[in-house]
Amino acid sequence: MSTTGVSLKTSGFGQTRRRDAWWVQQLVTLGVFSAFVVYSTWAAFQGEFYAWGPYLSPFYSPELFGSSSHALFGPRPEWWPAMLPFSPAFLILWAPAGFRITCYYYRGAYYKAFWADPPSCSVSEPRKKYRGEQSFPLILQNIHRYFLYAVFIIWIFLAHDAWKALWFTDAATGDTTFGIGIGTLVLTLNVILLGGYQFGCHSLRHLIGGNLDLLSKAPVRHAGYNCVSCLNRGHMNWAWLSLIWVAFADVYVRLVAMGVWTDWRIL
Ligand code: FES
């Protein structure tokens, strides 16, 4: 067999033959994701203005301990170290945060946007060695499945919050009546978008498909699997919509609780 010697040239960082604006997507990812991390961290540290009437911010739900009427087990616990700041969000926000960070879709997006690994498809990267997710620290991304279990429990609480957001108590008489406010719609849409995101998770698809590494080898085709697969096809859109909306839901409850916005009642 005849052979031809071809020398392979490695290009410098960012070099590509692509002519499209491949960097725009990375820039948007960097901006939106960074803004979300900064805002959610700030909101978690506030520890106030996270509830108003029947509304509870999704960043604080379930409120295990806290000062609002939504708290399940009463006020700040005695065992919480006095020298540390306390916020009900600290007790639960680790689960959705860990879930997003380890999400297969987000991994692909922020590896490109945050540390250019690679900057985009067919664009050369700044390092020569590929370490992948089979070694520390990125091997820890495999705990995604366990975050999935935790966020499903939280999602049930969020659905219950949306239900509670339909019942308004009159401060003067103490009577509780059915109603729909803009906040009810905001919290309900939040549950729908988070559901669309979580129920389209790749890990859930594997779990529901028989817990196989290679689904193509023994494809399972039942209604639940098809449903998860269907949501999975739009996973990127669900991921971004639910991210933006969950932050907006916190902004909404916060500004209403602060008296900056008025919660308009539709019913
Ligand atoms: Fe994105 Fe699981 S892969 S949520």
Short mmCIF file of all heavy atoms in Angstrom, two decimals, residues 99 102-106 144 148 197-198 200-204 232 235, ligand 1:
data_model
loop_
_atom_site.label_atom_id
_atom_site.label_comp_id
_atom_site.label_asym_id
_atom_site.label_seq_id
_atom_site.Cartn_x
_atom_site.Cartn_y
_atom_site.Cartn_z
N PHE A 99 -27.69 21.32 39.75
CA PHE A 99 -28.38 20.68 38.62
C PHE A 99 -28.06 21.40 37.32
O PHE A 99 -27.75 20.78 36.30
CB PHE A 99 -29.88 20.70 38.90
CG PHE A 99 -30.70 19.97 37.88
CD1 PHE A 99 -30.55 18.62 37.67
CD2 PHE A 99 -31.67 20.64 37.14
CE1 PHE A 99 -31.31 17.94 36.73
CE2 PHE A 99 -32.44 19.98 36.21
CZ PHE A 99 -32.27 18.63 36.00
N THR A 102 -24.25 21.04 36.28
CA THR A 102 -23.85 19.72 35.78
C THR A 102 -24.70 19.25 34.59
O THR A 102 -24.48 18.15 34.08
CB THR A 102 -23.94 18.66 36.90
OG1 THR A 102 -25.29 18.66 37.40
CG2 THR A 102 -22.99 18.96 38.04
N CYS A 103 -25.66 20.07 34.16
CA CYS A 103 -26.53 19.72 33.03
C CYS A 103 -25.68 19.49 31.76
O CYS A 103 -24.78 20.26 31.46
CB CYS A 103 -27.52 20.86 32.80
SG CYS A 103 -28.34 20.87 31.21
N TYR A 104 -25.98 18.44 31.03
CA TYR A 104 -25.20 18.12 29.83
C TYR A 104 -25.22 19.27 28.82
O TYR A 104 -24.22 19.56 28.19
CB TYR A 104 -25.74 16.84 29.16
CG TYR A 104 -25.43 15.59 29.92
CD1 TYR A 104 -26.21 15.21 31.01
CD2 TYR A 104 -24.35 14.78 29.57
CE1 TYR A 104 -25.92 14.06 31.73
CE2 TYR A 104 -24.06 13.63 30.28
CZ TYR A 104 -24.85 13.29 31.36
OH TYR A 104 -24.56 12.15 32.07
N TYR A 105 -26.38 19.89 28.67
CA TYR A 105 -26.45 20.99 27.71
C TYR A 105 -25.59 22.17 28.17
O TYR A 105 -24.77 22.69 27.41
CB TYR A 105 -27.90 21.46 27.48
CG TYR A 105 -27.86 22.83 26.86
CD1 TYR A 105 -27.39 23.01 25.55
CD2 TYR A 105 -28.15 23.98 27.61
CE1 TYR A 105 -27.24 24.27 25.01
CE2 TYR A 105 -28.01 25.24 27.07
CZ TYR A 105 -27.55 25.37 25.77
OH TYR A 105 -27.37 26.62 25.24
N TYR A 106 -25.78 22.60 29.42
CA TYR A 106 -25.03 23.76 29.90
C TYR A 106 -23.52 23.51 29.88
O TYR A 106 -22.74 24.42 29.64
CB TYR A 106 -25.44 24.13 31.33
CG TYR A 106 -26.71 24.96 31.41
CD1 TYR A 106 -27.82 24.49 32.08
CD2 TYR A 106 -26.78 26.21 30.81
CE1 TYR A 106 -28.99 25.24 32.15
CE2 TYR A 106 -27.94 26.97 30.88
CZ TYR A 106 -29.04 26.48 31.55
OH TYR A 106 -30.19 27.23 31.62
N HIS A 144 -24.74 14.59 38.26
CA HIS A 144 -25.95 15.25 37.74
C HIS A 144 -27.23 14.50 38.10
O HIS A 144 -28.22 15.09 38.50
CB HIS A 144 -25.82 15.38 36.22
CG HIS A 144 -26.98 16.09 35.59
ND1 HIS A 144 -27.28 17.40 35.86
CD2 HIS A 144 -27.92 15.67 34.70
CE1 HIS A 144 -28.35 17.77 35.16
NE2 HIS A 144 -28.75 16.74 34.45
N LEU A 148 -30.73 15.65 39.98
CA LEU A 148 -32.04 15.48 39.35
C LEU A 148 -33.08 15.03 40.38
O LEU A 148 -34.18 15.56 40.44
CB LEU A 148 -31.93 14.45 38.22
CG LEU A 148 -33.22 14.02 37.53
CD1 LEU A 148 -33.80 15.15 36.70
CD2 LEU A 148 -32.98 12.82 36.61
N TYR A 197 -37.97 21.78 31.41
CA TYR A 197 -36.50 21.64 31.46
C TYR A 197 -36.10 20.33 32.15
O TYR A 197 -35.35 19.52 31.60
CB TYR A 197 -35.92 22.85 32.18
CG TYR A 197 -34.45 22.76 32.50
CD1 TYR A 197 -33.51 22.48 31.50
CD2 TYR A 197 -33.97 22.95 33.79
CE1 TYR A 197 -32.16 22.38 31.79
CE2 TYR A 197 -32.63 22.87 34.08
CZ TYR A 197 -31.72 22.58 33.09
OH TYR A 197 -30.39 22.49 33.38
N GLN A 198 -36.65 20.11 33.34
CA GLN A 198 -36.24 18.95 34.13
C GLN A 198 -36.72 17.63 33.53
O GLN A 198 -35.97 16.65 33.51
CB GLN A 198 -36.81 19.07 35.56
CG GLN A 198 -36.17 20.20 36.33
CD GLN A 198 -36.81 20.46 37.67
OE1 GLN A 198 -36.60 21.50 38.27
NE2 GLN A 198 -37.60 19.52 38.16
N GLY A 200 -37.03 16.96 30.54
CA GLY A 200 -36.33 16.66 29.29
C GLY A 200 -34.86 16.36 29.54
O GLY A 200 -34.06 16.34 28.60
N CYS A 201 -34.52 16.12 30.79
CA CYS A 201 -33.12 15.88 31.18
C CYS A 201 -32.57 14.60 30.52
O CYS A 201 -33.25 13.58 30.46
CB CYS A 201 -33.07 15.76 32.69
SG CYS A 201 -31.48 15.22 33.33
N HIS A 202 -31.32 14.66 30.06
CA HIS A 202 -30.68 13.48 29.44
C HIS A 202 -30.60 12.32 30.43
O HIS A 202 -30.77 11.17 30.06
CB HIS A 202 -29.27 13.83 28.98
CG HIS A 202 -29.23 14.82 27.88
ND1 HIS A 202 -29.48 14.50 26.56
CD2 HIS A 202 -28.99 16.15 27.88
CE1 HIS A 202 -29.38 15.58 25.81
NE2 HIS A 202 -29.09 16.59 26.59
N SER A 203 -30.31 12.65 31.68
CA SER A 203 -30.20 11.58 32.69
C SER A 203 -31.54 10.89 32.91
O SER A 203 -31.61 9.67 33.07
CB SER A 203 -29.71 12.15 34.02
OG SER A 203 -28.38 12.54 33.91
N LEU A 204 -32.60 11.67 32.89
CA LEU A 204 -33.93 11.08 33.07
C LEU A 204 -34.25 10.17 31.89
O LEU A 204 -34.84 9.11 32.05
CB LEU A 204 -34.98 12.20 33.20
CG LEU A 204 -36.41 11.72 33.39
CD1 LEU A 204 -36.54 10.94 34.71
CD2 LEU A 204 -37.39 12.88 33.39
N ASN A 232 -36.69 16.55 25.49
CA ASN A 232 -35.24 16.59 25.37
C ASN A 232 -34.78 17.25 24.07
O ASN A 232 -33.75 17.92 24.02
CB ASN A 232 -34.68 15.16 25.47
CG ASN A 232 -33.18 15.15 25.42
OD1 ASN A 232 -32.59 14.89 24.38
ND2 ASN A 232 -32.56 15.45 26.55
N HIS A 235 -34.33 20.80 24.65
CA HIS A 235 -33.72 21.01 25.97
C HIS A 235 -33.04 22.37 26.10
O HIS A 235 -33.14 23.03 27.13
CB HIS A 235 -32.73 19.88 26.25
CG HIS A 235 -32.35 19.76 27.70
ND1 HIS A 235 -33.27 19.68 28.71
CD2 HIS A 235 -31.14 19.75 28.31
CE1 HIS A 235 -32.65 19.59 29.88
NE2 HIS A 235 -31.36 19.65 29.66
FE1 FES B 1 -29.82 19.16 31.18
FE2 FES B 1 -30.14 16.98 32.80
S1 FES B 1 -29.09 17.17 30.94
S2 FES B 1 -31.00 18.94 32.95
#
